[in-house]
Amino acid sequence: MTKILVLYYSSYGHIAQMAEAVAEGARSAGADVDVRRVAETAPAEVAKAAGFRIDDSHPLLDDVNQLAQYDGIIVGSPTRFGRMASQMAAFWDKAGGVWFQGQLNGKVGAAFTSTASQHGGQETTLFSILTNLLHFGMTIVGLDYGFQGQAGVDEVKGGSPYGATTIADGDGSRQPSAVELEGARYQGRRVAETAAKLKA
Ligand SMILES: Cc1cc2nc3c(=O)[nH]c(=O)nc-3n(C[C@H](O)[C@H](O)[C@H](O)COP(=O)(O)O)c2cc1C
């Protein structure tokens, strides 16, 4: 069975919701899916002052040696100044040995993100994740235009050919919309299908 990891960091829950939808999509393609969060690295006083929630909605993945067991890894992180959160970067920065041994070469990688504002760094954040995954030798799957929900300007919405996205608004009040969650499911399904083909 194809094994997929949805690995995310989320301060306020938007990326956690998107991770669930990505996982649903991957499961719909028959994959065995684990959803895991990376560790909080912000000092407790910083997390408290910024109102970060205590994220215990999914098990923690801290051991980078677990990565090699998956056929596809889908990474979700909110933007931080136009790039992935340091919590997610810190996780990958521990994986030098995994990189050195080429353990992820040829596996499928993908990214999803969230920003506060529509143009607050969605695509640059996705590419900061994808750059990382390409260095690990992964074969990238985006959000192809088979998902037509990303087209059109009839409503405020995320979604890009580089990965599924949502928009949280400055106070975090906006939640992932139906079309954004649909995009996340589509991407999860596509990654699982691609990983299954590459594995065969
Ligand atoms: C330190 C910091 C920097 C941020 N930088 C940006 C930014 O550059 N552009 C933007 O649109 N939102 C920015 N945000 C907002 C977050 O991206 C937003 O809270 C996040 O997408 C919500 O996802 P989450 O609920 O999964 O944490 C920033 C938030 C923090 C705490």
Side-chain angles (χ1 to χ4, degrees), residues 9 39-52 54 86-87:
Y9 170 77
E40 181 58 75
T41 57
E45 64 274 19
V46 172
K48 189 169 175 219
F52 291 1
I54 310 281
S86 59
Q87 291 85 346

Side-chain angles (χ1 to χ4, degrees), residues 36-108:
R36 299 285 183 266
R37 64 189 165 86
V38 299
E40 181 58 75
T41 57
E45 64 274 19
V46 172
K48 189 169 175 219
F52 291 1
R53 61 176 207 157
I54 310 281
D55 185 0
D56 55 6
S57 48
H58 299 97
L60 180 69
L61 195 152
D62 211 25
D63 177 5
V64 294
N65 294 308
Q66 300 286 313
L67 294 171
Q69 68 181 293
Y70 295 100
D71 303 302
I73 302 175
I74 313 173
V75 174
S77 168
T79 197
R80 293 287 183 266
F81 311 114
R83 38 86 180 152
M84 82 172 100
S86 59
Q87 291 85 346
M88 182 56 76
F91 173 86
W92 287 93
D93 286 2
K94 294 187 296 184
V98 174
W99 168 82
F100 185 72
Q101 291 164 16
Q103 290 183 15
L104 305 186
N105 286 349
K107 292 175 185 279
V108 177

Side-chain angles (χ1 to χ4, degrees), residues 154-179:
D154 47 319
E155 60 177 289
V156 172
K157 61 185 173 186
S160 92
Y162 319 110
T165 68
T166 186
I167 303 161
D169 209 347
D171 60 0
S173 59
R174 185 179 180 278
Q175 298 304 310
S177 68
V179 70

Side-chain angles (χ1 to χ4, degrees), residues 87-134:
Q87 291 85 346
M88 182 56 76
F91 173 86
W92 287 93
D93 286 2
K94 294 187 296 184
V98 174
W99 168 82
F100 185 72
Q101 291 164 16
Q103 290 183 15
L104 305 186
N105 286 349
K107 292 175 185 279
V108 177
F112 59 101
T113 194
S114 165
T115 61
S117 60
Q118 285 182 79
H119 305 291
Q122 299 226 320
E123 295 176 348
T124 53
T125 304
L126 290 170
F127 272 106
S128 75
I129 298 170
L130 296 178
T131 301
N132 206 137
L133 299 181
L134 281 163

